[in-house]
Amino acid sequence: AQSVAQPEDQVNVAEGNPLTVKCTYSVSGNPYLFWYVQYPNRGLQFLLKYITGDNLVKGSYGFEAEFNKSQTSFHLKKPSALVSDSALYFCAVRDPMNRDDKIIFGKGTRLHILP
Amino acid sequence: GAVVSQHPSRVICKSGTSVKIECRSLDFQATTMFWYRQFPKKSLMLMATSNEGSKATYEQGVEKDKFLINHASLTLSTLTVTSAHPEDSSFYICSARVGLAVFTDTQYFGPGTRLTVL
């Protein structure tokens, strides 16, 4: 069965510093991976996805993520954090070996950018 | 990107009443919509998958008679919480999948509905 893990409940980063939000996954085949961001009392906003091709995926708001098959990871990164990046971040995975539409979400990582 | 709306954004109701939440895809047709429930400081729990013109597929443990889902058109799905009780209080989020490529197309999410049952 597919699963996704976000090992950190919270990440604190000073404004202007690079940030990383970690995500690892487990699937039967080649994964389809997603990152979403959620602001308080709002739905999820799509940031980026990896389906195939270049391991480094660039997304919205300057975020990028690197797919690492050997480490089964898909960490979210940004070179220079902004206070406005403070939010809840979800990693999600879909296993193409499963014959359904479902994507599985991690438990989320709260990112605090300190001014 | 694709826009998904939800209405209402917030609802407070008395125990025993029913509440309907609407989910609309504003600028695309969504053959498949999804309903999630999110508890405070928790991840999203998929409740059901809704396909236009057919019955919804409910996840294990989700009561289909309690959470009625209707997907009457390609742009509208509704979730009705019947005979709501305080334990049904939660943040309900819908999403819609763009396109017909099941595995590679992105899900876009609505802004969520905060339900409080007194």
Side-chain angles (χ1 to χ4, degrees):
Chain A
Q2 68 216 50
S3 66
V4 60
Q6 293 180 244
E8 304 152 316
D9 288 337
Q10 182 168 312
V11 171
N12 296 323
V13 177
E15 185 177 24
N17 283 1
L19 69 87
T20 298
V21 182
K22 295 180 181 178
C23 172
T24 58
Y25 64 89
S26 175
V27 298
S28 303
N30 293 318
Y32 298 142
L33 295 155
F34 306 81
W35 274 102
Y36 288 86
V37 59
Q38 185 181 31
Y39 297 98
N41 296 310
R42 301 293 298 276
L44 276 65
Q45 294 181 30
F46 170 73
L47 280 179
L48 51 81
K49 68 180 178 182
Y50 171 82
I51 302 299
T52 186
D54 195 348
N55 288 344
L56 184 63
V57 179
K58 294 187 182 296
S60 306
Y61 312 121
F63 283 93
E64 58 188 30
E66 185 167 12
F67 171 61
N68 187 318
K69 188 172 183 178
S70 62
Q71 297 185 3
T72 62
S73 67
F74 190 56
H75 301 331
L76 181 70
K77 299 181 179 183
K78 186 172 182 180
S80 179
L82 300 173
V83 173
S84 57
D85 292 330
S86 298
L88 186 59
Y89 290 80
F90 290 98
C91 181
V93 66
R94 177 182 288 143
D95 186 347
M97 300 297 286
N98 282 344
R99 297 168 60 91
D100 58 37
D101 277 351
K102 286 186 272 192
I103 61 175
I104 302 300
F105 287 87
K107 62 180 175 61
T109 298
R110 190 161 298 280
L111 178 63
H112 285 288
I113 306 302
L114 308 170
Chain B
V3 179
V4 176
S5 71
Q6 275 184 247
H7 178 81
S9 59
R10 186 181 296 267
V11 58
I12 301 172
C13 69
K14 293 181 178 180
S15 185
T17 61
S18 294
V19 174
K20 179 184 283 189
I21 303 170
E22 291 186 348
C23 176
R24 293 181 185 273
S25 56
L26 297 185
D27 51 2
F28 66 99
Q29 293 184 330
T31 53
T32 304
M33 289 184 171
F34 306 85
W35 286 95
Y36 294 84
R37 183 172 177 177
Q38 185 179 30
F39 294 96
K41 298 184 179 181
K42 296 287 186 182
S43 188
L44 281 73
M45 181 192 79
L46 179 64
M47 300 174 65
T49 301
S50 168
N51 290 296
E52 185 266 338
S54 62
K55 291 183 178 180
T57 302
Y58 289 81
E59 294 300 300
Q60 192 172 11
V62 178
E63 299 175 59
K64 60 181 68 177
D65 294 330
K66 173 78 171 175
F67 298 100
L68 299 178
I69 291 172
N70 183 275
H71 194 159
S73 76
L74 287 172
T75 58
L76 173 64
S77 177
T78 60
L79 167 67
T80 301
V81 183
T82 63
S83 187
H85 288 93
E87 57 266 29
D88 298 325
S89 299
S90 193
F91 194 53
Y92 292 88
I93 306 175
C94 73
S95 73
R97 195 188 71 235
V98 177
L100 298 177
V102 171
F103 295 109
T104 59
D105 281 335
T106 301
Q107 284 186 31
Y108 289 91
F109 286 79
T113 297
R114 172 77 58 194
L115 171 63
T116 303
V117 185
L118 303 176

